[in-house]
Amino acid sequence: MSQFTVQTLLDTGTVRMRDVLCSGECRHKSEEECTAATHLVFPYRGVFVRHVGRNDAVAEANQLLFFNNAEGYRISHPVEGGDSCLDLVVEEAQLQELTPKEQLRSGSAVAFRRQRRRIDPRAQALVAVLRHSLSRNIAETLEAETLALTLVRRSLGERTSHAAGASAGRQKLVDRAKLVLSSDLSRRWTLAEIAAEVGVSPVYLTQVFQQVEAMPLYRYHLRLRLARALDLLGCYDNLTTLGLDLGFSSHSHFSSAFRQVYGRTPAEFQRSIKPR
């Protein structure tokens, strides 16, 4: 049985969008594979690690991953549970027009210099809107194409995304901390617990994480939990239960944090993804 479940959500001459679920059976590095086009992959549930040569990238809901055409890679799942991603392929001329030149390698084909970029909350919300609305057949093709291009433009924008800028050693330390957080999103971690898992002091961990990700560790963890809420809002009728399941102390705590990040309450977002 295949470890992948793939649902095509949209397929036009401009954008192809798929919902890809992986069971995560490959705990260690998979055999090398490659894609036949450049893919923009937005993880929204779970976590995996992508290995390109000696370069590793932790893929989770705060990140956009670039799978360059014909570039070999391997995948591993150090944390149980598999992953789910929104996979976009944009027609090459359109993708080239959307992408700042400094993010691309030289050459005629569209290929990104880095494996990943961190995206902002609005991009996360667009991922959720596209997935929920297309899977429920409540978004028209023109609307979905427009939102998809908006998502790409925002995810590549210098003001709305972030490329990590640090040494390889510090990036690996931060990636280990991300895997710890992703292993149990609802847990109320303490700084000492995360630092002990990573093998450094709490002070050093907070300093390095801030340098690499340009945000504090606690805020990054909050963003992961709220991204999981975006994923689950279509499945929960009781939002208080959802908030408690994700480790928030109360409905008001959950609703306030969600609104501060996404600009509307969980109830308002939930109404926006229901059939009109």
Side-chain angles (χ1 to χ4, degrees):
M1 182 181 295
S2 173
Q3 62 177 311
F4 291 98
T5 301
V6 180
Q7 178 187 8
T8 299
L9 300 176
L10 181 70
D11 195 353
T12 71
T14 303
V15 180
R16 178 161 61 90
M17 188 182 311
R18 303 181 304 162
D19 193 8
V20 181
L21 283 66
C22 177
S23 63
E25 295 170 14
C26 183
R27 299 300 301 277
H28 302 289
K29 288 184 184 180
S30 66
E31 295 296 322
E32 187 172 78
E33 51 190 309
C34 64
T35 62
T38 294
H39 290 242
L40 277 62
V41 175
F42 296 85
Y44 65 84
R45 183 190 306 151
V47 63
F48 65 91
V49 180
R50 182 168 180 260
H51 312 270
V52 178
R54 296 183 179 181
N55 184 261
D56 300 337
V58 172
E60 34 73 18
N62 284 332
Q63 304 288 332
L64 159 63
L65 274 290
F66 302 110
F67 286 63
N68 290 326
N69 180 16
E71 181 177 65
Y73 65 89
R74 292 180 168 85
I75 298 293
S76 65
H77 289 86
V79 176
E80 291 184 356
D83 66 87
S84 300
C85 302
L86 189 71
D87 176 281
L88 265 67
V89 176
V90 179
E91 192 271 326
E92 187 166 311
Q94 310 305 316
L95 183 57
Q96 191 142 25
E97 186 175 341
L98 286 165
T99 308
K101 290 182 173 56
E102 60 272 15
Q103 295 182 29
L104 297 175
R105 298 174 185 171
S106 58
S108 56
V110 176
F112 289 86
R113 293 180 181 274
R114 296 179 178 270
Q115 274 211 71
R116 58 184 164 185
R117 290 187 72 83
R118 180 165 52 77
I119 58 175
D120 73 350
R122 187 172 174 184
Q124 288 179 324
L126 281 171
V127 169
V129 167
L130 281 164
R131 190 176 66 83
H132 287 301
S133 59
L134 286 170
S135 63
R136 298 177 182 194
N137 294 316
I138 60 175
E140 295 183 358
T141 300
L142 180 60
E143 177 187 8
E145 285 186 301
T146 303
L147 288 176
L149 295 182
T150 300
L151 170 61
V152 173
R153 184 182 298 109
R154 186 166 194 89
S155 300
L156 301 179
E158 293 299 334
R159 293 185 179 181
T160 52
S161 64
H162 170 77
S167 67
R170 292 190 170 197
Q171 181 66 67
K172 286 183 178 180
L173 187 155
V174 167
D175 281 349
R176 291 202 303 273
K178 291 180 184 179
L179 291 175
V180 171
L181 294 175
S182 298
S183 67
D184 191 350
L185 283 182
S186 63
R187 177 172 170 176
R188 296 182 183 180
W189 292 97
T190 67
L191 188 57
E193 288 171 339
I194 302 169
E197 291 282 346
V198 174
V200 296
S201 74
V203 170
Y204 187 70
L205 175 61
T206 56
Q207 290 174 339
V208 171
F209 201 98
Q210 175 74 46
Q211 178 193 37
V212 173
E213 290 298 332
M215 71 167 63
L217 178 62
Y218 74 87
R219 188 174 298 164
Y220 200 91
H221 183 219
L222 175 64
R223 287 270 305 275
L224 287 177
R225 292 156 66 205
L226 291 174
R228 183 69 172 131
L230 286 173
D231 170 36
L232 293 173
L233 274 171
C235 307
Y236 274 73
D237 292 326
N238 190 320
L239 296 181
T240 298
T241 301
L242 173 58
L244 294 175
D245 286 350
L246 290 173
F248 292 92
S249 59
S250 64
H251 174 72
S252 60
H253 179 206
F254 170 47
S255 184
S256 174
F258 191 99
R259 183 171 188 171
Q260 186 174 17
V261 170
Y262 297 121
R264 46 185 165 171
T265 66
E268 290 169 339
F269 189 91
Q270 191 178 59
R271 286 194 292 270
S272 75
I273 60 175
K274 286 186 175 180
R276 297 160 187 165

